[in-house]
Structure formats: structure tokens, C-alpha cells
């Protein structure tokens, strides 16, 4: 059980004259000791900060920018220009092959964080192919790419502040087939497409532990994100972890099973999926969500985002005419034309919403495919 305490200074404003939204959190992060105790300490500290930011409503997209500082072993870390202002290590201990770090974390959540002013953006999740299938022979983990994609999807669904998985596909993504990619994204109401490749599954025998015959196994994977409106690749990154492989070499390991995911190797892969989710947040959370008009009748329009995306009755939106075109090389070019039309959310459904056009005389100019941006309340 993780130790977690939350104190909010804003709660004291019920009794005193103050307006601070500062919070301090005491939380214990944990990490499996794999490569070294130093690496485990960094991972446990990152876990503590991640938990604190989620519970306090902070912007988890800023976490990747803090990670490099935790590599320096200190008792206190101070930051400026960030929602996290101070991290103080209170206790550090090892138990059961894990590192536990208890920290006090001072947070100043911002009301203007991107995930608080934008709707959740849809993601179409692709498969993760294995570059060298023969590397999956040990344990017969040939379906690990599909199951890793499912794990990443769970990370996004449960923990992401800015994204939601609107569909999954086994169709290979290709930047050279931009029009096909945009059609695929449109079919799933996805603003982005995410896929990649598993590039290394090799195993090595730890020379220090030859007598115990313990094997370490690599897991390296690349990530690509495509813009669903243009088919362009807008983000790329690669990840690598090494974990203890506790299964016999001749066994057939079910990569869907809890036994696999709670193993040291499975946990190292889970860590990669969490880091991917955080990097996606960092790279794309502040990009505008772009709901689309899917139907218009008289003065009532319907858009393709709803309750699961964070839409609420009374939300105000601005309309943009879509004026995209395909250039001479066959590449879709997205273009938005400003309008004076605004709409108000009237009814909210699970994956869509009905909007009232605030300027009825301009409703005739609205067409399916026109885009919307959320207007922040002041």
C-alpha cells in the first residue's frame, strides 16, 4: 500500500482570508531494483511525483521535464516556472527487491492547465510489430507487440489527462499513404494515430549470477505519432528497459497473463508504457482539440465528441470552416478559416453532443467537416 497524504492550503480559506491553491503532498513511490539502486531511486522518486501530481490535479505533461534533475542524488529539489516547486526526500528504504522513497512535494496546480481547458483528444492505437521475430522465440512471446499496445491503451485510458483511445487497429501505419491514414483516423474519430516497432528482445546471462542462471532481457521499442488530419508524423521517440526474465527458456509465456505482467520483466515494460503516456502528454496535450461537425439541421449542429471527452452542457465553441486541400504531391494540407460563428452545447451524449448556433442567420454556412475549438471561460 502506498503511503499518501494530501494537504490543501485552499481548504483553510474557509476560515481565513486567503486565495492560495498550493498543496503539499507526502507520498511514497516505489520501483523494482533492476540495473542499480541509484536507477531504482530515480524511478521511485518519479513515481512519487507522478502520484502527487495526479491526486493534486497538476499537469502531468510537465513531469518529463523534471526527470533529468532526479538523476542527481539529493535530499531536496527546487524548481521554478513549474507546478512542482519543491521535492524533499523524507525516507528511502529497500524491501523485497524494491526501492521505496517517501517524499514531501509542494504543488501549485494551475487552473489554466491544458488538460483543464481542452477536451480530451481521440487516439487510434495501432499495433507494435516485432522487427526481428526470431528474438521472440524465447518464451514464444510472438504476441507481445499486440499485448504491449493493449497495455499502452490502458495507461492512456486510466491515467492520461488529455487523451482517450477511440479505437484500435492492426492496419500498418505509413506516412507515405497520408490519405489512407486520414481516412482511418476519420473512421475512428481520432485526432492522432499511434504505433511503433519493438526493436530488441534479446537476452543475456548475468555473469555475476551464473550459478543462479538468471537472465536479463531487453525491451526496446520505437514510438511514432501521426496527425490524423494530415497523415504527417509529428512525434518520434525510442525507449529501452532491461528486466529480469524469470521464466524457463523452454516455456511458453502468455503475455496476456497477470503472471507475466507482475514479473520483473513485465513491470519494466509497464514502466515504458507509462513513460510513453507521459511523453505523449508532454508533446501534444497543449495542442488544440479539434471536434468536427458531423451533422447540421436548421439551427442545431452535432459534433463528434461527447461526455467521454469532457464535454459539458453550456460549453461555448467557436467554428472554423475546413478548407483543406491535397497538394501536387498528394499530401493533404489542413487549413482552417476563421468565422464569427459560435455555438453552445445543448445536449451531451457519450461520444457526441448537440449544439445550438448562437447566430441563427449564419447557420446555413455550416457544413459537416467544419472544425470547432473550445472557448475558455473567463
Amino acid at each position: 500500500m502506498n503511503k499518501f497524504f494530501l494537504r490543501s492550503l485552499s481548504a483553510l480559506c474557509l476560515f481565513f482570508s486567503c486565495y492560495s491553491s498550493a498543496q503539499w503532498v507526502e507520498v511514497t513511490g516505489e520501483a523494482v531494483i533492476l540495473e542499480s539502486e541509484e536507477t531504482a531511486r530515480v524511478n521511485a522518486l518519479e513515481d512519487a511525483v507522478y502520484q502527487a501530481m495526479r491526486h493534486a490535479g497538476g499537469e502531468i505533461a510537465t513531469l518529463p521535464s523534471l526527470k533529468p534533475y532526479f538523476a542527481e542524488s539529493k535530499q531536496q529539489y527546487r524548481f521554478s516556472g513549474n507546478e512542482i516547486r519543491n521535492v524533499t526526500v523524507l525516507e528511502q528504504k529497500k524491501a523485497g527487491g524494491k526501492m521505496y522513497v517517501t517524499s514531501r512535494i509542494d504543488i501549485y496546480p494551475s487552473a489554466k492547465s491544458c488538460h483543464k481547458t481542452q477536451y480530451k483528444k481521440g487516439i487510434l492505437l495501432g499495433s507494435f510489430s516485432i522487427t526481428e521475430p526470431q528474438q521472440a522465440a524465447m518464451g514464444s512471446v510472438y504476441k507481445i507487440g499486440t499485448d504491449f499496445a493493449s497495455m499502452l491503451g490502458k495507461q492512456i485510458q486510466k491515467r492520461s489527462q488529455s487523451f482517450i483511445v477511440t479505437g484500435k487497429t492492426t492496419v500498418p501505419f505509413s506516412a507515405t499513404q497520408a490519405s489512407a491514414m486520414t481516412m482511418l483516423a476519420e473512421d475512428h474519430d481520432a485526432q492522432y494515430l499511434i504505433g511503433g516497432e519493438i526493436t530488441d528482445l534479446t537476452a543475456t546471462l548475468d555473469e555475476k549470477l551464473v550459478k543462479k542462471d538468471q537472465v536479463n532481457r531487453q525491451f526496446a521499442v520505437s514510438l511514432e505519432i501521426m496527425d490524423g488530419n494530415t497523415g504527417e508524423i509529428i512525434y518520434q521517440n525510442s525507449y529501452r528497459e532491461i528486466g529480469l526474465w524469470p521464466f524457463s527458456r523452454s516455456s511458453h509465456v502468455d503475455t496476456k497473463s497477470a503472471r507475466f505482467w507482475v514479473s520483473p520483466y513485465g513491470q519494466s515494460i509497464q514502466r515504458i508504457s507509462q513513460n510513453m503516456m507521459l511523453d505523449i502528454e508532454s508533446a501534444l496535450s497543449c495542442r488544440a482539440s479539434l471536434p468536427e461537425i458531423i451533422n447540421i439541421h436548421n439551427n442545431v449542429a452535432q459534433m463528434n465528441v461527447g461526455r467521454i471527452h469532457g464535454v459539458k452542457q453550456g460549453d461555448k465553441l467557436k467554428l472554423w470552416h475546413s478548407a483543406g486541400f491535397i497538394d501536387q504531391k498528394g499530401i493533404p494540407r489542413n487549413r482552417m478559416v476563421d468565422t464569427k460563428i459560435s455555438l453552445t452545447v445543448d445536449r451531451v451524449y457519450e461520444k457526441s453532443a448537440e449544439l445550438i448556433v448562437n447566430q441563427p442567420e449564419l447557420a446555413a454556412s455550416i457544413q459537416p467537416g467544419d472544425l470547432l475549438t473550445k472557448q475558455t471561460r473567463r
Side-chain angles (χ1 to χ4, degrees):
M1 294 292 291
N2 282 333
K3 181 181 178 184
F4 193 95
F5 297 100
L6 175 64
R7 297 291 184 271
S8 173
L9 296 183
S10 59
L12 300 178
C13 295
L14 294 173
F15 305 98
F16 301 99
S17 177
C18 62
Y19 299 93
S20 173
S21 61
Q23 298 178 354
W24 68 262
V25 179
E26 184 179 321
V27 59
T28 299
E30 64 178 60
V32 177
I33 300 175
L34 296 172
E35 298 178 30
S36 65
E37 291 183 8
E38 291 77 13
T39 300
R41 178 187 184 276
V42 172
N43 292 342
L45 192 54
E46 290 175 6
D47 182 52
V49 175
Y50 171 71
Q51 291 182 60
M53 294 183 79
R54 285 197 67 212
H55 283 269
E59 186 89 46
I60 63 173
T62 62
L63 182 56
S65 66
L66 304 182
K67 286 183 179 182
Y69 299 99
F70 297 143
E72 185 178 353
S73 182
K74 300 193 299 185
Q75 290 300 113
Q76 189 172 54
Y77 304 84
R78 294 183 181 276
F79 304 99
S80 61
N82 195 290
E83 291 183 338
I84 297 290
R85 300 297 176 84
N86 187 69
V87 178
T88 304
V89 177
L90 304 177
E91 183 183 15
Q92 177 179 322
K93 64 179 181 180
K94 297 180 294 180
K98 291 186 176 181
M99 177 70 72
Y100 297 88
V101 177
T102 301
S103 304
R104 171 176 165 147
I105 302 165
D106 297 325
I107 307 175
Y108 288 73
S110 171
K112 296 183 179 179
S113 296
C114 295
H115 75 276
K116 295 178 181 177
T117 59
Q118 297 279 350
Y119 293 138
K120 287 191 174 183
K121 294 171 271 286
I123 284 176
L124 176 61
L125 194 59
S127 59
F128 284 76
S129 59
I130 302 175
T131 305
E132 302 290 342
Q134 65 270 22
Q135 293 181 358
M138 187 175 73
S140 299
V141 292
Y142 298 104
K143 295 183 178 180
I144 195 169
T146 301
D147 296 330
F148 174 73
S150 295
M151 174 58 64
L152 177 59
K154 290 177 182 178
Q155 288 279 3
I156 294 171
Q157 291 293 82
K158 292 182 179 180
R159 300 185 175 186
S160 174
Q161 294 174 325
S162 307
F163 301 93
I164 186 169
V165 177
T166 56
K168 297 180 181 179
T169 181
T170 56
V171 177
F173 294 161
S174 174
T176 60
Q177 298 179 339
S179 58
M181 297 300 98
T182 57
M183 291 176 62
L184 199 59
E186 185 178 358
D187 289 344
H188 292 84
D189 288 326
Q191 192 166 336
Y192 301 106
L193 299 88
I194 292 180
E197 283 187 324
I198 297 173
T199 56
D200 192 357
L201 289 170
T202 57
T204 55
L205 191 67
D206 193 331
E207 295 180 356
K208 298 179 181 178
L209 301 169
V210 172
K211 294 182 180 179
K212 295 183 180 180
D213 196 27
Q214 294 197 31
V215 175
N216 291 326
R217 192 169 191 176
Q218 301 282 338
F219 187 86
V221 61
S222 63
L223 171 71
E224 286 189 346
I225 303 178
M226 301 180 71
D227 189 316
N229 292 318
T230 64
E232 296 175 301
I233 294 177
I234 56 176
Y235 182 82
Q236 292 177 304
N237 206 345
S238 58
Y239 305 81
R240 179 181 293 273
E241 287 278 356
I242 185 170
L244 176 65
W245 180 259
F247 311 103
S248 66
R249 299 187 182 188
S250 59
S251 63
H252 291 262
V253 179
D254 182 3
T255 51
K256 286 184 173 64
S257 67
R259 179 170 174 256
F260 172 77
W261 289 108
V262 300
S263 71
Y265 187 70
Q267 289 186 40
S268 67
I269 298 176
Q270 288 190 60
R271 178 169 180 78
I272 284 182
S273 68
Q274 177 173 300
N275 287 340
M276 273 190 179
M277 183 272 294
L278 291 172
D279 285 343
I280 294 168
E281 286 278 340
S282 179
L284 303 175
S285 65
C286 287
R287 289 200 175 199
S289 56
L290 297 174
E292 185 177 318
I293 296 291
I294 54 176
N295 188 38
I296 177 72
H297 180 69
N298 294 331
N299 195 39
V300 179
Q302 189 169 16
M303 66 177 178
N304 63 344
V305 298
R307 187 176 294 108
I308 62 174
H309 302 86
V311 178
K312 296 179 181 179
Q313 187 178 34
D315 284 351
K316 306 293 184 182
L317 298 103
K318 178 180 175 59
L319 185 115
W320 301 75
H321 287 314
S322 178
F325 63 96
I326 298 177
D327 66 16
Q328 295 179 347
K329 295 182 179 180
I331 300 175
R333 301 295 182 183
N334 196 33
R335 183 167 171 256
M336 297 165 61
V337 178
D338 192 6
T339 75
K340 296 181 180 180
I341 303 173
S342 64
L343 304 95
T344 301
V345 176
D346 183 40
R347 294 183 180 180
V348 183
Y349 305 103
E350 191 72 3
K351 297 180 181 179
S352 65
E354 289 183 358
L355 316 170
I356 300 297
V357 182
N358 296 330
Q359 299 82 16
E361 70 279 5
L362 300 177
S365 67
I366 301 176
Q367 298 180 351
D370 285 346
L371 302 175
L372 300 159
T373 53
K374 183 181 178 183
Q375 294 181 327
T376 57
R377 297 178 180 179
R378 295 182 180 179

